[in-house]
Amino acid sequence: MGNSLAHVEHLLKDLTSFEEKSSAPMERARALSLEGEQLINNKHYAVDSIRPKCHELQHLCDQFTAEVGQRRELLNKSLELHSLLEASMKWCDEGIYLLASQPVDKCQSQDGAEAALQEIEKFLETGAENKIQELNKIYQDYVCLLYTSPSPRD
């Protein structure tokens, strides 16, 4: 699933590369299955041997396609969550910097304190889109990531 935005992006690139490398063997497997179906339709003498192999080959191709699709879906969801978390962390870091950079002498006067407060309130308004407001919604949206045990290849 990845442990950072960059890691998930790298895993998605790896998955795309894997799909490209596996496309030729997948096409060949599907072509073999179609050839077997043609032999079955032409009443080949070994129909009883060909039919189970065609079904097995078709099942393996479908299973491979489904698992790659599930992997892509999981990685896209992980990318979405990491993007959300990184945006929130960036906003928090900017807030920390804003608070740390407020000059103490500026807050000695009422005008200075009000200006600092307005600056902070203005900053807080910018955070609505980066704020994780509903933890239950986050949990529901990303439950597939939160309770998936990582494998060594992740």
Side-chain angles (χ1 to χ4, degrees), residues 102 106-107 111-124:
Q102 292 294 323
K106 181 180 179 181
C107 296
D111 290 340
E114 285 179 8
L117 182 60
Q118 286 177 353
E119 190 177 355
I120 292 168
E121 287 175 343
K122 183 179 176 184
F123 174 77
L124 288 174

Side-chain angles (χ1 to χ4, degrees), residues 62-74:
D62 292 344
Q63 185 179 8
F64 176 82
T65 302
E67 287 184 21
V68 168
Q70 288 172 350
R71 176 81 172 155
R72 179 167 299 284
E73 185 178 320
L74 185 67

Side-chain angles (χ1 to χ4, degrees), residues 72-126:
R72 179 167 299 284
E73 185 178 320
L74 185 67
L75 285 172
N76 283 329
K77 202 71 168 161
S78 180
L79 183 70
E80 187 179 296
L81 178 60
H82 281 289
S83 296
L84 176 66
L85 292 173
E86 283 199 16
S88 294
M89 286 178 14
K90 181 180 179 213
W91 182 80
C92 289
D93 288 344
E94 290 170 0
I96 291 168
Y97 178 76
L98 175 66
L99 291 173
S101 66
Q102 292 294 323
V104 176
D105 60 338
K106 181 180 179 181
C107 296
Q108 298 299 321
S109 70
Q110 184 173 348
D111 290 340
E114 285 179 8
L117 182 60
Q118 286 177 353
E119 190 177 355
I120 292 168
E121 287 175 343
K122 183 179 176 184
F123 174 77
L124 288 174
E125 290 172 5
T126 67

